[in-house]
Amino acid sequence: MAKAAPFGQVERALAWRYLRARRQHGGVSLISIISFFGIMLAVTALIVIMSVMAGFRSTLLNALLGGQGHVFVSVGGLPEADVDVLTNEIIELEGVEHAFPIIEQQVLATSEYGRTGAIVRGVRTEDIGNLPYLEGGQSTADAAGFGEGRNGGDVVLIGAFLAQDLGLRIGDKITLIAPEGVAGPFGVTPRSKAYTIGDTFTTGSVELDKLYVLMPMQQSQLFFNKRNEYQAIDARLYNPMRTEPIMAEIRSLTGGLRVEDWKLRRAAYFNALNVERGMMRVIMLILITITALNIITGVVMLVKNKTRDIAILRTIGTPRGAIMRIFIMIGAILGLTGALIGLVLGVLIVLNIGVVEGFLSSILGRDIFDAEVYGLDGLPAELDWAEAVFTTLWAMSMSILVAIWPAWSAARLDPVDALRFE
């Protein structure tokens, strides 16, 4: 035994023998079994929770980003022709799905039933099909008469919740009042005009659906006194999370123009999601660590039960390092097995989240995730393999670390003292 290789067959055999021994023979205690199931359930729970949170995060971001651009280039004051050229150059950049000029201004929207603040977004008629939230795209806009008539006509498209707040339906009139008035002999007169609602839309974000009014570009230029110019370029990316490289390339094209992304405009919203996700991860990792600490108790009791065996092994020449490795392997096996089974269970639950949701609903006799209440078709869950693997490795690492102290205590055991009362 003294010449056995570290973590070799002999050490593995002893560790496995101690794990399989019955409790009456000094085998693994009930606490160790509880630790095994605790680690397994903790890993499963963390994978499921983080996947569901990732699903909600993705759903919220998709709703938010579906209604607004990803990168914005301020072009106020530049000639319309120069902005058109710059827009085409941005579209040619790798990673840019499409880009188009816009005018975006705040207004007061009024009707017979109420009034509220709104945001008018002026878009070119040919760009209306690039808005992902407009169901039917260009055909819907054409059917509504969007952009038809002198200076773009007087037909606008508004968010569904804005229409609901103002008590408006398709074909009704909405009056928009601009904050900048028209100077006259009797002072400044607010600029206002009544428009016909051609259709409504939903972006997926209630906040945006309460604000947005889509107006033909020519009409918005006239209404906001911005003839032959735009306010900004709205760029949509294939990957909205990777805005920094695209912004750097756009800055190289534009020189001194201001370039910002949705993360800056929605910093509070984006940071809140990240903080919530980070804190939940920390809490669950702490839970896994606490569960793994139970292995200490289990291994300590095993060491106590196997005191005579340890003394005999030390007497026949087994080195302290071998004794220590045997009990480290016992703790590691408990943790590694629990973590791997937890990984499998967590992945299976996430991949079959719909089945699990239906099963729980049938047991409880009610829908645990009502689509009418939450506005979603089902419980969203996105499996992040990096997150799942990290969770499993963390559980494994904690299981090995917490087994070191009782294993070291077993290695320091004096065989004379251990056998004195045997």
Side-chain angles (χ1 to χ4, degrees), residues 310-312 314-315 320 412-420:
I310 296 171
I312 293 174
R314 291 286 291 120
T315 301
R320 289 183 174 179
R412 293 177 62 248
L413 190 65
D414 189 342
V416 176
D417 293 337
L419 294 174
R420 179 177 299 172

Side-chain angles (χ1 to χ4, degrees), residues 176-197:
L176 303 179
I177 303 174
E180 296 180 359
V182 179
F186 300 102
V188 178
T189 304
R191 185 187 297 113
S192 66
K193 184 176 179 180
Y195 293 91
T196 302
I197 299 175

Side-chain angles (χ1 to χ4, degrees), residues 14 23 50 137 152 212 217 220 227 247 314 326 364 385 418:
L14 284 171
R23 289 183 60 194
M50 296 307 297
Y212 272 169
M217 178 61 74
S220 62
R227 289 184 179 273
M247 293 173 63
R314 291 286 291 120
I326 289 171
L364 297 176
W385 280 104

Side-chain angles (χ1 to χ4, degrees), residues 53-366:
M53 289 190 64
F56 273 110
R57 183 174 185 268
S58 178
T59 301
L60 291 173
L61 288 179
N62 288 339
L64 176 66
L65 298 180
Q68 68 174 36
H70 305 153
V71 175
F72 305 90
V73 184
S74 299
V75 294
L78 293 181
E80 186 175 306
D82 293 347
V83 177
D84 290 336
V85 173
L86 178 58
T87 301
N88 293 330
E89 292 178 348
I90 293 176
I91 294 176
E92 296 299 322
L93 296 177
E94 184 178 357
V96 177
E97 184 176 5
H98 50 254
F100 47 88
I102 61 170
I103 288 178
E104 195 169 86
Q105 293 285 337
Q106 293 181 344
V107 297
L108 177 65
T110 66
S111 71
E112 296 179 3
Y113 307 100
R115 63 185 61 190
T116 184
I119 295 178
V120 169
R121 169 168 283 209
V123 295
R124 298 181 303 188
T125 306
E126 60 268 27
D127 294 324
I128 197 72
N130 293 328
L131 301 176
Y133 52 82
L134 187 61
E135 186 176 355
Q138 189 71 52
S139 59
T140 299
D142 293 341
F146 186 84
E148 297 179 0
R150 183 181 178 184
N151 295 320
D154 62 351
V155 173
V156 296
L157 310 177
I158 70 173
F161 285 96
L162 177 60
Q164 180 179 325
D165 290 345
L166 295 177
L168 298 173
R169 294 179 296 180
I170 296 175
D172 291 344
K173 292 288 187 179
I174 181 174
T175 301
L176 303 179
I177 303 174
E180 296 180 359
V182 179
F186 300 102
V188 178
T189 304
R191 185 187 297 113
S192 66
K193 184 176 179 180
Y195 293 91
T196 302
I197 299 175
D199 205 345
T200 61
F201 58 85
T202 56
T203 64
S205 171
V206 176
E207 177 187 359
L208 297 181
D209 291 344
K210 285 178 173 285
L211 292 176
Y212 272 169
V213 176
L214 296 181
M215 182 182 292
M217 178 61 74
Q218 284 183 300
Q219 183 61 213
S220 62
Q221 288 175 326
L222 177 64
F223 186 68
F224 295 111
N225 196 26
K226 294 183 179 294
R227 289 184 179 273
N228 300 319
E229 66 177 85
Y230 305 119
Q231 183 178 356
I233 296 176
D234 182 324
R236 307 292 174 105
L237 312 183
Y238 289 107
N239 185 358
M241 304 304 296
R242 297 189 69 256
T243 58
E244 290 77 11
I246 304 298
M247 293 173 63
E249 294 187 53
I250 294 177
R251 288 191 180 98
S252 65
L253 292 175
T254 60
L257 296 182
R258 182 182 179 184
V259 182
E260 59 183 10
D261 60 359
W262 68 272
K263 297 177 185 177
L264 180 62
R265 290 193 172 190
R266 295 282 183 169
Y269 188 91
F270 185 64
N271 291 338
L273 289 177
N274 288 336
V275 169
E276 181 183 19
R277 185 182 185 187
M279 290 305 299
M280 182 59 68
R281 182 189 293 113
V282 170
I283 292 172
M284 293 305 297
L285 291 179
I286 292 175
L287 174 61
I288 292 178
T289 303
I290 294 173
T291 305
L293 287 174
N294 289 328
I295 292 179
I296 292 181
T297 306
V299 177
V300 166
M301 296 183 67
L302 182 60
V303 170
K304 182 179 179 180
N305 293 337
K306 293 298 183 181
T307 299
R308 181 172 177 272
D309 293 12
I310 296 171
I312 293 174
L313 290 173
R314 291 286 291 120
T315 301
I316 64 176
T318 304
R320 289 183 174 179
I323 300 295
M324 186 172 181
R325 289 191 293 270
I326 289 171
F327 288 95
I328 287 178
M329 281 191 287
I330 291 174
I333 290 173
L334 290 172
L336 268 61
T337 307
L340 289 175
I341 296 178
L343 171 65
V344 174
L345 289 177
V347 171
L348 288 176
I349 291 175
V350 172
L351 295 180
N352 298 278
I353 193 68
V355 177
V356 174
E357 180 185 349
F359 175 72
L360 294 176
S361 297
S362 63
I363 292 179
L364 297 176
R366 60 181 179 84

